[in-house]
Amino acid sequence: MRSVLQYLFFAFSILLLHGFEARATHIRAGEITARRISASALTYEIKLTAYFDMQNGEGAANAQNDVDFFIGTTGPIKAPRVQIVNIGNNTTQNTYIINYTFPSAGRFRISFEEDNRNNNILNIGPPPTQNLNFYVSTTIEINATLGLNQTPVLLNSPIDLAAVGQRYIHNPGAFDADGDSLSYKLFIPQRGTANGAGINLQYVDPNQIGAPGNTETGTSPATFSMDPVTGDLVWDAPMVKGYYNVAFVVEEWRDGFRIGQIVRDMQIIVEDARNDRPVVNPLPDICVEAGTLINQPVVATDKNGDKLTLTSTGGVYESTLIKPALAKFTVANQGALNTVSGIFSWQTGCDHIRQEPYDVLFKVEDAAAPGTPNPSLFRKLVDMTTMNIRVFGPKPQNLTGVAATDPAGTAYRLTWDPYKCQIPGAQIVIYRKEGCTNIPEDVCISGIPAGYGYDQVARVAVGQTTYLDNNNGTGLKTGVSYSYRIVVEFPRPGANINEPGSLIGGGESIASDEFCLSLPLVMPVITNVTVDQTQQTTGEITIRWTRPTAPPGLPAQYRLFRAVGQNGTAFTQIAAISTNLTPGAPDTFFVDKGLNTVANAYNYRIEYYYTQNNTLVKLDVTEPASSVRLQQGSALPNSIRLNWAAIVPWSNNNQVHRVYREDKANPGVFNRIADVPVLGNQTFTYTDDGTDKYAADGVINVPISTQLSYCYKVETVGSYNNSQIKPDILYNFSQIICVSASDTTKPCPPVLAIDLIDCATLEPDAFCNMLSFTNNLSWTYPQQVGGKDCDPNIAAYNIYYARYDSDKPTLLTKITTPPAPLATTYAHEGLKSFAGCYYVTALNGFGTESAPSNTVCKDNCPMFVLPNVFTPNGDGKNDVFQPLECPAFVQALEFKVFNRWGAQVFDTKDVNVNWNGKTNAGKELAAGQYYYEAAVTFEASKKDNKPYIIKGWVQIIR
């Protein structure tokens, strides 16, 4: 009998041991990826790539023939293992795949959880780590506009050896075949739950084990970080040998929106290596036009003379991720000692064009050299670097153009060579700007760089080689040079070009060379609008224009129109100048007199008429051109800021404008004090601190005082940038302004008061039937504050109001003169209640504003009184329990009624209560005494105003 029992016990022990081995610790790392595989259904291939510990859990790893996925909380869904690959470091890579059809579009979490992690992981817990399960998740966005989207794939395995005291770097080698943008961030490793969700483990960054530690170069503390752009995970440097697990998120972005993310949980094995890590030389980023053959040398070295293996990973090698031709990496002296070199070669093509760069990872691993003592103790170390490659569309070639006849008017037909990359869905974008502009060539800049002033005028299919530019049917300007460039924009790789939004986001070409043309100058253009006299009634402006390109002797006429204001459109004819277009005749200028150039700018245009059958016929109208307007800018201490503007058809940008100041010793004589380089309208400004910065006409420096006035004028310098328009450079004066320096000293803050309410003196019906309320403010302006005199020259007061004391007050009104004297009271009318807060500021004549006055707040008087008896007997008298008189300023009410035993019989939130003596269920309550509690919230100046609690009793009489 004993022998049978012993046999059974032995067999049971074997089963226990076998079962324990099947569940032994074995999971080091892993992540989930997904790709849509059907255009007609929401079917995805879901893949788990898991890395198993073959040193401590070989039996469990071999037995893991399938795994369970959860889709949200749906699951488990069993997936079989389809591949096992030994990747070294006592680790296998295991692939599990299922196809799954999602029920609808939307955002879904795909997760995997399995017992057990391997033991003795130093930076996660709670220990022992072999009792912690392993959990990762991936989130995908299913949307018709995303097409056959797939998550990025991580091409670099997550198991490498690190060495104590040496810098460790890992890069996941993420590649997105759709050309989406990727970003990276650290994440806390998790364990799974029964419903497919994850819970954070106890975790510290690896550099905290043995903290503070040192970097490889000896500085303290040790660091651990991840680059959000490149994905480089750097630990500089480990201090304690052992296992470490870290996690990070790879986020997928399209058009500024996140469309998915992958969590990778990975393991770092730190050894106390008697070895220095090899080094792979950094590589430059590369930008090429599609069709370029890349041949990039890669060199790695080892100062210990160890044997080196140089490898490379990236999507450019994967036929399942990009279209051929694929890249190649060849190493002629693989396994060489001390130095190993390779050549990365890739014949790029049209199918490789995309917006995001291609990341190519190069990794060097050392091994014991022949003759190394105790080679079994040698610990392999690695280094890696990433090269970014941008593939742009090739530059369009031979853009040119000719004048074309078009009913719209002046037009130009552009032509170019057939484009090299005929990608379905790609479009040629035509850009145009006035004037001709050189753009520095840079192979790493695609499209039209910002800031060069080009506007998109049209898009055509990539197969098109011509375009007629007639300015969308309105005709182009005459007498203007135009610059054209074309750029090709591509759809996202693999996009369904029939889906909305699919024709963008796939990158663009290098811009074509410029084609610059000068349209025939047939009609006149205005060249000058310059102020000659600044007066209120006798101001003068001279207007000049060009003579049209036409044979002399032909009777014609210019009609000059004027409108008030730089943007004025109410044009009135002021002159008709007959001409026969004789060169040198004084018929292309006019002096406009009797103007108020002090108060106004003026806008001009010219209509050109020619003779046809003895009748004048209008042939053209010029673009309007305004006079230059000079104004004083914002307040500055001991200086004067000048701003000027002109709305004209020529360009005043990228020129040097001239500033003049009147010489006080010689009234009416203006001295040039500064030349101001301007780039755009926002730079038409100059601050005069009294220094004369232009010495050619003599230096006259003056002190800028708030007590004196200074007169200025400005001369703008401009050009049409068109060789057919003379003169090439156009000079125009502004009007003269005389101003004083602004006083930036702040006035003193006023002292504010408000008409508060004495609630104790009011009757309950004080505010009955009132629909509008008024707050009366009054303030005084002090003579002194802190022993210093206050500026008495107050020109205005600003009143600020906030409904609640925690809100930021906003400007309610501005009190100015007239009337005189300046008012110091204000009635804020039309309010729904008295509640609110105010402060006042003072402004001097220069608009300088004081600090705020004291803040005053006003509150309402609570008016809510309840009776002690009512008679709900249906006689129409006192049948309903309501507040006495009228409740005022009640914002909210919670009213409850209890019987004598404390049971609640009725409740309401009606501010008028309107209780009819019944329960909420409609059951009539017996006559007798009941108790109520009312929580009343009143309108107040505090946003979080607490309710008043009113308790009492009421008698029901039937």
Side-chain angles (χ1 to χ4, degrees):
M1 182 69 178
R2 175 177 295 177
S3 62
V4 174
L5 289 174
Q6 288 175 334
Y7 173 79
L8 290 174
F9 177 78
F10 176 75
F12 182 64
S13 300
I14 292 297
L15 288 172
L16 283 176
L17 289 172
H18 188 73
F20 178 78
E21 184 182 15
R23 293 180 54 82
T25 58
H26 63 291
I27 302 183
R28 292 189 189 273
E31 74 273 346
I32 299 170
T33 56
R35 67 183 182 96
R36 187 172 173 179
I37 57 176
S38 171
S40 59
L42 304 179
T43 303
Y44 279 71
E45 177 191 89
I46 301 173
K47 177 192 294 185
L48 169 71
T49 305
Y51 298 84
F52 293 160
D53 184 346
M54 300 302 288
Q55 182 177 5
N56 303 306
E58 182 177 359
N62 291 336
Q64 193 79 57
N65 293 317
D66 52 50
V67 296
D68 292 331
F69 285 117
F70 275 82
I71 311 295
T73 58
T74 301
I77 303 169
K78 200 165 292 293
R81 178 160 52 190
V82 298
Q83 187 181 45
I84 304 177
V85 178
N86 191 324
I87 63 170
N89 294 325
N90 295 308
T91 304
T92 57
Q93 180 191 74
N94 300 261
T95 305
Y96 301 84
I97 295 178
I98 61 165
N99 292 342
Y100 180 81
T101 301
F102 288 84
S104 64
R107 180 173 295 174
F108 292 89
R109 181 192 66 221
I110 309 167
S111 62
F112 155 75
E113 173 268 320
E114 182 64 45
D115 296 336
N116 302 76
R117 293 176 181 266
N118 50 359
N119 204 18
N120 299 318
I121 302 172
L122 299 182
N123 68 319
I124 63 172
T129 59
Q130 65 183 3
N131 292 342
L132 302 177
N133 66 28
F134 181 91
Y135 174 90
V136 288
S137 66
T138 286
T139 302
I140 63 172
E141 187 82 32
I142 300 178
N143 186 313
T145 62
L146 300 180
L148 293 177
N149 187 49
Q150 53 188 308
T151 65
V153 294
L154 310 185
L155 300 173
N156 192 26
S157 63
I159 306 295
D160 274 324
L161 295 180
V164 171
Q166 300 190 49
R167 180 176 178 266
Y168 167 80
I169 182 171
H170 169 79
N171 188 290
F175 182 83
D176 192 284
D178 306 308
D180 295 317
S181 300
L182 302 180
S183 64
Y184 307 83
K185 62 183 180 182
L186 291 171
F187 192 73
I188 296 177
Q190 295 186 322
R191 63 180 177 86
T193 63
N195 64 356
I199 299 176
N200 290 349
L201 296 172
Q202 297 173 9
Y203 168 81
V204 295
D205 283 338
N207 61 317
Q208 297 303 309
I209 305 299
N214 296 312
T215 66
E216 186 178 69
T217 58
T219 61
S220 182
T223 62
F224 180 77
S225 63
M226 188 169 208
D227 189 301
V229 177
T230 66
D232 284 345
L233 181 75
V234 178
W235 182 4
D236 193 1
M239 297 299 294
V240 179
K241 65 179 294 186
Y243 293 152
Y244 297 81
N245 266 70
V246 299
F248 55 85
V249 175
V250 183
E251 296 178 306
E252 182 183 9
W253 302 83
R254 183 176 297 184
D255 303 327
F257 295 95
R258 189 175 66 182
I259 61 172
Q261 67 174 35
I262 296 173
V263 175
R264 167 175 267 191
D265 189 325
M266 63 172 287
Q267 188 163 91
I268 305 171
I269 305 171
V270 178
E271 298 281 2
D272 192 6
R274 299 169 185 175
N275 179 28
D276 295 303
R277 65 179 174 86
V279 176
V280 58
N281 294 346
L283 296 171
D285 292 341
I286 296 176
C287 303
V288 297
E289 294 184 27
T292 302
L293 173 62
I294 300 172
N295 281 302
Q296 175 63 47
V298 184
V299 178
T301 58
D302 188 286
K303 67 181 183 180
N304 304 129
D306 296 328
K307 184 169 64 175
L308 299 179
T309 300
L310 184 60
T311 58
S312 180
T313 56
V316 295
Y317 302 110
E318 305 288 336
S319 61
T320 59
L321 298 178
I322 68 167
K323 295 181 180 179
L326 301 178
K328 297 178 182 179
F329 184 57
T330 56
V331 181
N333 57 339
Q334 195 75 276
L337 304 180
N338 189 52
T339 300
V340 63
S341 59
I343 293 292
F344 170 83
S345 61
W346 187 23
Q347 177 59 63
T348 62
C350 295
D351 289 326
H352 302 142
I353 299 167
R354 71 178 203 170
Q355 183 170 304
E356 296 301 316
Y358 294 89
D359 295 335
V360 185
L361 181 73
F362 297 93
K363 175 179 174 182
V364 61
E365 182 179 57
D366 63 2
T372 299
N374 300 317
S376 61
L377 299 179
F378 187 90
R379 294 293 180 264
K380 295 182 178 181
L381 296 178
V382 301
D383 188 33
M384 62 184 65
T385 192
T386 302
M387 178 174 65
N388 295 323
I389 303 173
R390 289 185 176 272
V391 181
F392 297 124
K395 178 192 294 187
Q397 298 295 321
N398 295 324
L399 174 64
T400 187
V402 295
T405 302
D406 190 82
T410 304
Y412 219 79
R413 180 165 293 281
L414 305 173
T415 59
W416 54 88
D417 289 352
Y419 191 62
K420 293 180 180 178
C421 291
Q422 295 291 314
I423 304 296
Q427 295 181 329
I428 294 176
V429 186
I430 297 99
Y431 290 90
R432 181 188 69 212
K433 69 164 292 186
E434 294 184 15
C436 300
T437 303
N438 288 325
I439 296 179
E441 289 197 10
D442 187 334
V443 72
C444 283
I445 298 178
S446 62
I448 303 289
Y452 282 90
Y454 281 90
D455 295 317
Q456 182 184 139
V457 296
R459 286 175 173 267
V460 299
V462 70
Q464 195 161 318
T465 58
T466 182
Y467 174 72
L468 177 67
D469 183 17
N470 61 6
N471 200 30
N472 291 321
T474 62
L476 294 164
K477 295 180 184 178
T478 58
V480 176
S481 296
Y482 286 103
S483 171
Y484 288 93
R485 294 179 189 267
I486 60 175
V487 174
V488 183
E489 291 187 359
F490 300 89
R492 196 176 301 278
N496 180 355
I497 62 174
N498 296 316
E499 290 286 353
S502 64
L503 299 183
I504 60 174
E508 57 189 358
S509 73
I510 307 296
S512 72
D513 291 334
E514 177 189 44
F515 172 66
C516 194
L517 61 97
S518 297
L519 297 179
L521 177 59
V522 177
M523 306 307 162
V525 294
I526 297 176
T527 57
N528 294 89
V529 180
T530 186
V531 179
D532 301 319
Q533 297 288 334
T534 303
Q535 298 290 338
Q536 289 185 330
T537 58
T538 58
E540 295 182 5
I541 293 178
T542 295
I543 305 96
R544 289 184 171 85
W545 56 92
T546 61
R547 182 172 286 106
T549 303
L554 178 67
Q557 188 178 87
Y558 308 110
R559 294 181 185 177
L560 181 61
F561 291 78
R562 180 185 67 215
V564 177
Q566 286 191 310
N567 288 298
T569 57
F571 285 98
T572 301
Q573 183 176 330
I574 60 172
I577 302 171
S578 296
T579 179
N580 61 7
L581 305 179
T582 301
D587 53 5
T588 56
F589 72 93
F590 181 81
V591 179
D592 191 12
K593 301 180 179 181
L595 303 174
N596 184 357
T597 50
V598 173
N600 300 321
Y602 293 91
N603 202 16
Y604 295 88
R605 77 179 187 202
I606 293 172
E607 293 182 358
Y608 172 58
Y609 290 76
Y610 74 104
T611 301
Q612 183 177 3
N613 298 325
N614 297 319
T615 302
L616 286 175
V617 177
K618 183 167 66 174
L619 184 61
D620 192 38
V621 180
T622 68
E623 293 288 321
S626 80
S627 59
V628 183
R629 194 66 182 167
L630 178 62
Q631 294 179 317
Q632 184 175 14
S634 57
L636 292 170
N638 302 316
S639 58
I640 293 174
R641 175 170 288 175
L642 303 172
N643 299 328
W644 60 96
I647 303 175
V648 292
W650 59 88
S651 173
N652 286 324
N653 297 335
N654 302 305
Q655 301 285 352
V656 177
H657 296 193
R658 303 163 178 178
V659 179
Y660 297 80
R661 183 178 63 217
E662 186 181 35
D663 181 0
K664 287 188 174 293
N666 297 286
V669 176
F670 281 79
N671 181 49
R672 187 165 160 187
I673 62 170
D675 284 0
V676 182
V678 298
L679 300 177
N681 293 341
Q682 70 276 11
T683 60
F684 289 15
T685 183
Y686 177 71
T687 300
D688 180 21
D689 62 1
T691 305
D692 186 343
K693 297 180 176 66
Y694 183 80
D697 61 350
V699 175
I700 303 176
N701 297 322
V702 298
I704 301 296
S705 169
T706 58
Q707 308 302 315
L708 298 176
S709 178
Y710 306 85
C711 298
Y712 300 88
K713 64 180 178 180
V714 169
E715 186 179 26
T716 61
V717 180
S719 175
Y720 273 102
N721 297 307
N722 187 325
S723 60
Q724 298 185 61
I725 299 178
K726 300 297 182 181
D728 295 329
I729 305 299
L730 309 177
Y731 301 92
N732 291 279
F733 276 107
S734 72
Q735 90 285 14
I736 296 170
I737 64 169
C738 296
V739 295
S740 59
S742 299
D743 185 355
T744 59
T745 303
K746 288 187 176 183
C748 297
V751 179
L752 178 63
I754 194 169
D755 58 329
L756 298 175
I757 308 171
D758 186 356
C759 299
T761 64
L762 298 177
E763 296 296 328
D765 60 350
F767 302 115
C768 281
N769 303 318
M770 287 185 63
L771 301 177
S772 178
F773 301 88
T774 301
N775 287 330
N776 295 297
L777 304 172
S778 61
W779 58 93
T780 57
Y781 185 75
Q783 293 182 343
Q784 285 188 335
V785 171
K788 295 184 179 180
D789 291 339
C790 295
D791 183 357
N793 300 312
I794 301 305
Y797 292 102
N798 282 341
I799 301 174
Y800 294 83
Y801 166 73
R803 171 61 186 83
Y804 297 101
D805 62 356
S806 59
D807 290 348
K808 182 179 180 181
T810 57
L811 182 64
L812 175 63
T813 189
K814 186 174 187 178
I815 307 296
T816 60
T817 55
L822 187 61
T824 56
T825 61
Y826 178 72
H828 188 191
E829 301 174 335
L831 297 169
K832 294 182 179 180
S833 79
F834 293 114
C837 296
Y838 303 84
Y839 69 72
V840 177
T841 61
L843 294 88
N844 64 19
F846 297 100
T848 304
E849 187 173 19
S850 74
S853 70
N854 57 303
T855 299
V856 297
C857 295
K858 186 174 178 180
D859 268 318
N860 300 301
C861 291
M863 298 294 183
F864 196 83
V865 180
L866 294 169
N868 293 116
V869 65
F870 75 114
T871 58
N873 55 15
D875 63 358
K877 299 177 181 179
N878 201 26
D879 282 335
V880 177
F881 182 75
Q882 294 176 320
L884 296 174
E885 304 304 338
C886 56
F889 313 117
V890 177
Q891 187 179 35
L893 170 71
E894 290 189 11
F895 180 80
K896 299 177 182 179
V897 180
F898 305 87
N899 61 21
R900 67 180 68 183
W901 297 282
Q904 182 176 315
V905 296
F906 176 77
D907 68 87
T908 184
K909 293 184 179 180
D910 184 349
V911 295
N912 292 306
V913 183
N914 291 320
W915 179 33
N916 60 4
K918 297 180 181 180
T919 67
N920 289 103
K923 182 179 179 181
E924 194 171 87
L925 293 168
Q929 187 167 307
Y930 293 84
Y931 301 90
Y932 64 79
E933 179 179 293
V936 190
T937 303
F938 294 96
E939 295 279 357
S941 61
K942 291 187 179 295
K943 187 175 290 186
D944 58 348
N945 189 35
K946 298 187 182 304
Y948 284 81
I949 305 299
I950 303 173
K951 296 183 179 181
W953 58 269
V954 59
Q955 188 79 24
I956 295 180
I957 300 175
R958 296 287 184 183

